[in-house]
Amino acid sequence: MLEKDVKDILFDEPALARRVAELGRRIEEDYRGRELLVIGVLKGANVFLGDLIRQIGLDLEVDFIAASSYGNATESSGVVRILKDLDYPIEGRHVLLIEDLIDTGLTLQYLAENFRSRGPASLKICTLLDKPERRKVDITVDYKGFDIPDEFIVGYGIDYSQKYRNLPYIATLKPSVYSQGAGEAR
Ligand code: PRP
């Protein structure tokens, strides 16, 4: 059972649903009259994106990019490898990039620069979670769910060592889990 590894629940299902609905409403207002292309960064953003798009009552399309950042166990290096590129061109499109978590900001800095070079009509960034203490580069975040402390968190799409993504809430992990050192930290 995954629950035994959970320390504290930071955001339970109703809290997540409320915030996602608020973000969806704001996005809907801001993009009314424009065709929106929502791009999720796999794998972590998958659950958030799935809930968010159902709160946006506009014509929209969805695409995904999978990126992995080279680095050591706990820190990305800023060198990002694209594991799966977008299926479609984004030139002239209104793009909303969806992340689950911004930590150092290096992944998003790379992706935003890469996307801008493809000539979108506009590019905005939406993240569910932000760890501002950890930031290494300036990122303008247009839509944000919650700021969180610099702790290992899991659930609602976010993993520790590829597990816990299916927890329906966002929680911190007991130190005994990650001090065993099996996987990468986020
Ligand atoms: C996480 C998260 C961001 C990135 C943020 O992805 O989804 O993409 O790390 O870190 P940064 O701001 O320090 O660059 P991860 O590499 O854990 O992959 P995953 O989404 O497949 O779990």
Side-chain angles (χ1 to χ4, degrees):
M1 294 294 279
L2 299 174
E3 286 79 7
K4 72 173 181 356
D5 297 336
V6 164
K7 190 172 99 187
D8 297 307
I9 294 179
L10 297 184
F11 307 108
D12 62 11
E13 287 183 80
L16 289 169
R18 272 196 306 275
R19 192 69 183 128
V20 170
E22 283 168 12
L23 290 174
R25 263 200 309 277
R26 278 181 45 206
I27 292 166
E28 184 177 312
E29 281 162 21
D30 293 353
Y31 283 90
R32 189 159 286 133
R34 286 186 287 172
E35 274 197 22
L36 176 59
L37 175 60
V38 176
I39 296 179
V41 184
L42 294 172
K43 309 182 190 73
N46 165 47
V47 175
F48 173 43
L49 182 146
D51 282 348
L52 182 67
I53 58 170
R54 285 178 287 172
Q55 301 296 329
I56 305 173
L58 299 175
D59 276 346
L60 60 78
E61 291 176 28
V62 175
D63 203 349
F64 291 98
I65 191 163
S68 132
S69 141
Y70 289 102
N72 62 26
T74 56
E75 189 119 316
S76 77
S77 63
V79 181
V80 175
R81 193 162 44 125
I82 293 183
L83 305 173
K84 177 221 165 288
D85 203 352
L86 300 172
D87 288 344
Y88 304 106
I90 60 171
E91 195 179 343
R93 306 294 308 268
H94 292 288
V95 173
L96 181 61
L97 189 50
I98 309 288
E99 264 288 20
D100 51 330
L101 172 64
I102 306 180
D103 189 85
T104 63
L106 291 165
T107 304
L108 212 46
Q109 183 188 49
Y110 176 90
L111 287 179
E113 224 162 85
N114 177 299
F115 281 20
R116 280 193 195 101
S117 73
R118 305 186 198 198
S122 67
L123 177 65
K124 284 191 180 184
I125 289 170
C126 173
T127 187
L128 178 65
L129 303 175
D130 191 2
K131 285 184 179 174
E133 291 168 51
R134 299 260 307 165
R135 194 74 89 255
K136 287 191 168 167
V137 288
D138 264 347
I139 300 276
T140 304
V141 181
D142 301 283
Y143 305 97
K144 183 199 289 196
F146 305 99
D147 282 333
I148 54 165
D150 181 15
E151 276 194 80
F152 285 86
I153 51 121
V154 291
Y156 199 67
I158 298 168
D159 73 308
Y160 173 68
S161 208
Q162 297 305 324
K163 296 208 179 78
Y164 308 99
R165 294 190 197 272
N166 54 325
L167 286 174
Y169 46 76
I170 290 181
T172 52
L173 272 183
K174 288 183 184 155
S176 56
V177 179
Y178 51 81
S179 61
Q180 287 161 9
E184 91 274 20
R186 277 290 174 219

